[in-house]
Amino acid sequence: MRPQRNRKSSGWICLFCLLACPQLSAEPPQQQNDNENVPKRTEIHFDDLQKKYRIIGRLGKPVGEFHTIHGTWKRFNFSGRQLFFQITHVNFQKLPEPQLYPERHFKLAHLWATSKLNVDPDHSPICEYRVWESLEYFGTPDDFWDESKLPPSISILPGFAGREKKAAIPLELTSELNYVKAKVLKQNEVKEKLENSTFSESRAAESSINPASDQTGENRDKVLIDIGFYDLRDRYQIIGKLGKPLGEYSTIRGVWKRERATIGQRIRRFHRFYVTHIDGQELDKSVIINHRWDTISSYGVMPFKPAVPDPEETEVWEMRVVELMRNRGLAAGFNGEAGLIEQHNSFFELVNVLRYHRRPSIIKGEGFKRVLKP
């Protein structure tokens, strides 16, 4: 004989399950909160950032311009052996909050410009530097090890903090200071230059986006838009020339050509890489990457045997790359600041760079039947 079902008790059981076990019928609250709290970044293309915007750096001044800064070298408990320069004044104006720069982001522009100060951070003397600010988007991608197929014992890459420590430098937009003059202030100079300094509010609107009024060079007749460093880092996602966010991997294929181009006031001859395929898809219009300095190079010290040769015209290369960006060149007026003869044609620009960490596939003597029009 089949036992009779107790409908009343089964109903209470169902009600208990709904009250005590909400995860059975709904998404976990933590996952919902995580999805809701992720800020949506505004996309900005590298070409627009290069041509339409003027970037205002951490100092509250346009990137690539010379400024006088004052501050002290410090060592904090969290920094270990690394020193930080704490900037308190920019152009003799006191900042509302000091800006900290790690030593690795504080660089001597050229060896002949000046000498590095030997400063004891325990005594904290006030130092004066003549600097310009530059930007770099660099670091170690999250999926670096999976992509590179390198053993974890290799840690002598630019994207890592040191040979002994495997700590990866995060992939992020950073600000660097390049200096050409340096001195330690005496006590009377401190009183004369800095004691009565006050912060100018008109110089503090770094994070706002406003039309730029004073432009030079090729942008003299253009109305550029000011964009702050922290806005660019935290609120925007930069889309590179390859059509992907900076820091993402792409497989590209293209052909090398040797061409002439005007850089500053000079005509130079160098190789250009015409990207014709991205992730196996043929492009309607090729993406051109100028091969100057280390625009296209290895991600770091790689165990390539033999070394990757210099490109030759008509060679077809296929590479697995990460696109990054940085400022290149010397700030306008560098020679005068460094006490050199004014014969150098200074130029300062924002460039995109490609980094590979696998040996590129070099197809010699083939070339494409057609090269897409630029």
Side-chain angles (χ1 to χ4, degrees):
M1 182 175 178
R2 180 179 298 179
Q4 188 175 5
R5 185 178 179 183
N6 189 337
R7 296 182 179 180
K8 184 176 181 180
S9 61
S10 62
W12 280 106
I13 293 175
C14 294
L15 179 60
F16 173 79
C17 290
L18 289 174
L19 295 176
C21 306
Q23 65 271 22
L24 297 179
S25 58
E27 186 180 2
Q30 182 62 39
Q31 185 175 350
Q32 286 182 339
N33 293 336
D34 291 344
N35 293 336
E36 292 175 358
N37 294 332
V38 175
K40 185 176 181 181
R41 298 192 174 198
T42 302
E43 291 188 352
I44 183 172
H45 199 277
F46 172 82
D47 288 338
D48 291 334
L49 185 62
Q50 185 185 44
K51 299 174 183 178
K52 299 179 181 180
Y53 289 86
R54 184 177 69 165
I55 302 175
I56 306 300
R58 287 184 58 194
L59 299 181
K61 312 291 182 182
V63 167
E65 293 185 2
F66 273 101
H67 302 286
T68 300
I69 63 172
H70 292 86
T72 57
W73 285 101
K74 293 183 177 294
R75 182 180 288 114
F76 299 92
N77 293 334
F78 65 83
S79 62
R81 298 178 60 185
Q82 184 175 205
L83 293 177
F84 284 79
F85 189 68
Q86 186 178 55
I87 302 173
T88 57
H89 294 73
V90 177
N91 292 342
F92 307 99
Q93 300 293 322
K94 188 175 182 180
L95 299 177
E97 294 183 3
Q99 294 289 317
L100 284 179
Y101 275 83
E103 191 175 18
R104 62 187 175 88
H105 289 160
F106 203 94
K107 300 179 179 179
L108 177 62
H110 277 289
L111 294 178
W112 62 77
T114 188
S115 59
K116 185 177 179 180
L117 295 179
N118 294 320
V119 178
D120 183 359
D122 294 331
H123 292 81
S124 301
I126 296 179
C127 301
E128 177 180 291
Y129 289 92
R130 190 68 173 159
V131 304
W132 82 83
E133 189 174 358
S134 61
L135 303 182
E136 182 176 29
Y137 186 83
F138 183 73
T140 307
D142 294 336
D143 44 0
F144 172 81
W145 292 114
D146 292 336
E147 287 282 347
S148 65
K149 307 300 181 185
L150 293 173
S153 59
I154 297 178
S155 59
I156 53 176
L157 309 175
F160 290 83
R163 182 173 298 186
E164 293 80 12
K165 297 182 179 180
K166 304 294 192 299
I169 297 174
L171 188 64
E172 63 180 359
L173 182 68
T174 59
S175 164
E176 296 184 346
L177 295 181
N178 311 270
Y179 65 94
V180 296
K181 293 179 181 178
K183 64 180 291 189
V184 177
L185 294 187
K186 298 178 181 179
Q187 189 61 33
N188 61 332
E189 291 178 306
V190 173
K191 291 182 178 181
E192 179 182 349
K193 291 184 175 182
L194 303 179
E195 270 195 355
N196 298 323
S197 297
T198 56
F199 180 71
S200 176
E201 294 184 359
S202 62
R203 302 171 185 266
E206 179 271 328
S207 62
S208 61
I209 302 178
N210 299 306
S213 58
D214 53 333
Q215 302 302 327
T216 58
E218 64 178 4
N219 293 322
R220 188 187 304 275
D221 299 327
K222 298 179 181 179
V223 178
L224 300 182
I225 301 173
D226 282 359
I227 183 170
F229 169 82
Y230 292 108
D231 283 338
L232 185 61
R233 186 192 67 179
D234 301 332
R235 294 175 49 194
Y236 289 86
Q237 185 175 62
I238 305 171
I239 306 299
K241 283 183 172 290
L242 300 181
K244 291 185 176 183
L246 295 185
E248 288 193 8
Y249 285 91
S250 302
T251 300
I252 64 174
R253 186 179 174 95
V255 61
W256 289 100
K257 297 185 68 177
R258 188 164 177 80
E259 299 177 338
R260 292 181 178 179
T262 301
I263 302 176
Q265 299 177 358
R266 299 180 181 180
I267 298 178
R268 300 179 183 270
R269 187 174 177 85
F270 54 88
H271 281 98
R272 281 177 164 171
F273 189 64
Y274 281 71
V275 181
T276 56
H277 294 71
I278 298 178
D279 294 332
Q281 298 294 320
E282 185 174 5
L283 305 179
D284 295 329
K285 183 179 180 181
S286 58
V287 176
I288 303 175
I289 309 294
N290 294 331
H291 186 46
R292 296 163 46 217
W293 296 297
D294 58 347
T295 308
I296 303 176
S297 66
S298 168
Y299 189 80
V301 181
M302 296 293 175
F304 291 150
K305 295 182 180 181
V308 177
D310 293 331
E312 296 182 7
E313 193 167 13
T314 73
E315 279 187 350
V316 178
W317 284 28
E318 184 171 275
M319 296 177 283
R320 186 71 169 160
V321 298
V322 170
E323 185 175 3
L324 307 171
M325 77 172 192
R326 67 181 308 175
N327 284 123
R328 280 293 192 181
L330 301 173
F334 169 80
N335 277 25
E337 294 283 348
L340 303 174
I341 300 175
E342 278 296 343
Q343 61 183 9
H344 181 76
N345 180 28
S346 300
F347 63 92
F348 184 82
E349 61 183 356
L350 185 68
V351 298
N352 71 313
V353 297
L354 301 180
R355 295 285 182 261
Y356 58 82
H357 47 243
R358 297 185 198 173
R359 185 179 178 85
S361 299
I362 304 175
I363 307 170
K364 296 192 175 184
E366 291 189 12
F368 288 142
K369 293 183 180 179
R370 66 183 181 90
V371 176
L372 301 179
K373 295 181 180 180

